[in-house]
Amino acid sequence: MNMMIPTGLEELNGLLKGGYPERSSILIVGPPGIGKEAIGYWFMHSGLSSSDFCLYVTRLAVSEVLQDMRAFHVDLADSPMWIASEGAQTKCDITDLASLSVNIKEALRRDGEGSIRIVADILSSLLMLNPSETIYRFLSQLLTEIKQRKAVFLATIEEGMHQPQVLAAMEQLFDGVLELKLFEEGLRVIPLLRIRKMRGMPPEPGYFRFSFSQGKMEVSAYVR
């Protein structure tokens, strides 16, 4: 029986029948400011509360990520391991793919055989600085190694920054894809969530309305 790793958000766990599959990679697609990073924040929070090994990889400074976490009412009781531009145990250099891969793999080897959670917000930046074929190979190799462990790798990517074929190639690499979008309905703008695909689940074509409030994610069926 496949194990499910809780997302840290009760409502999202319900949609995913318990959480993310163990040994999986999850891609969250959405426009800037919609809250896709918050899904990663709560995934980290849940992992640290369960004493999992947690690694956060970011092109930002640690202080910037922590400030944004507080805006979503995410208060980490402990600290994950960081690979970041500033304030981290290991510096994140998105211009050096070989070094980035080595640093992530070395961090994983420190934890032995325990459960691992990785969140990365660097994918769009990598695609802007490198040919898409290079990033495809980089991710393929990295995800293959990560899946040898009891790990879930969660990455975010910016909608609208990449050509459709590039985004489709990235989605093909991942076991699960969550799509967040803003839908204009008259004078209202409604945040919507869709499970594009998830390993072990049948297709879920419908959209759900969602919002973040006081550290929780509220989800309801969307009916036009």
Side-chain angles (χ1 to χ4, degrees):
M1 182 176 179
N2 291 330
M3 283 191 61
M4 306 302 288
I5 308 302
T7 68
L9 292 159
E10 185 176 337
E11 297 79 1
L12 189 55
N13 286 339
L15 294 182
L16 297 174
K17 317 302 182 190
Y20 305 124
E22 189 180 59
R23 301 179 190 269
S24 68
S25 55
I26 311 298
L27 184 65
I28 302 176
V29 183
I34 197 170
K36 57 187 177 296
E37 292 83 4
I39 295 176
Y41 300 159
W42 280 106
F43 186 54
M44 286 281 99
H45 181 274
S46 173
L48 291 168
S49 299
S50 302
S51 299
D52 293 344
F53 176 77
C54 295
L55 173 64
Y56 200 105
V57 186
T58 177
R59 60 180 178 79
L60 302 173
V62 171
S63 59
E64 293 176 292
V65 178
L66 292 175
Q67 183 181 30
D68 199 46
M69 284 184 177
R70 289 191 291 270
F72 286 96
H73 301 274
V74 180
D75 189 10
L76 301 181
D78 204 347
S79 178
M81 181 172 181
W82 296 89
I83 297 178
S85 61
E86 293 181 16
Q89 298 95 330
T90 305
K91 187 173 180 60
C92 179
D93 183 356
I94 58 175
T95 65
D96 186 347
L97 291 179
S99 175
L100 184 60
S101 178
V102 167
N103 288 337
I104 293 174
K105 292 174 183 177
E106 284 185 351
L108 299 182
R109 294 188 186 106
R110 296 177 195 176
D111 188 59
E113 299 301 321
S115 295
I116 297 169
R117 300 184 186 215
I118 307 166
V119 173
D121 69 3
I122 57 173
L123 186 49
S124 281
S125 297
L126 293 177
L127 285 167
M128 295 302 292
L129 295 173
N130 301 274
S132 58
E133 295 85 355
T134 300
I135 300 306
Y136 189 92
R137 288 194 298 270
F138 165 77
L139 275 177
S140 296
Q141 295 168 3
L142 182 62
L143 294 179
T144 296
E145 173 133 351
I146 288 173
K147 287 184 180 182
Q148 303 306 309
R149 302 171 179 273
K150 294 187 292 184
V152 174
F153 178 85
L154 188 151
T156 61
I157 191 168
E158 300 291 338
E159 180 187 64
M161 283 183 64
H162 314 291
Q163 294 294 327
Q165 62 270 26
V166 173
L167 185 56
M170 294 300 109
E171 292 178 355
Q172 183 269 334
L173 272 176
F174 285 77
D175 300 297
V177 178
L178 301 183
E179 176 192 7
L180 308 184
K181 66 181 293 183
L182 295 172
F183 179 72
E184 294 187 15
E185 189 177 78
L187 297 178
R188 297 186 302 167
V189 178
I190 303 172
L192 298 178
L193 178 150
R194 179 168 61 139
I195 304 168
R196 292 274 294 274
K197 69 173 184 177
M198 188 62 61
R199 193 182 74 208
M201 283 183 61
E204 294 278 353
Y207 282 99
F208 297 87
R209 297 179 65 156
F210 76 93
S211 62
F212 293 99
S213 177
Q214 298 297 315
K216 295 182 179 180
M217 186 181 193
E218 298 178 0
V219 176
S220 60
Y222 174 65
V223 181
R224 293 189 62 179

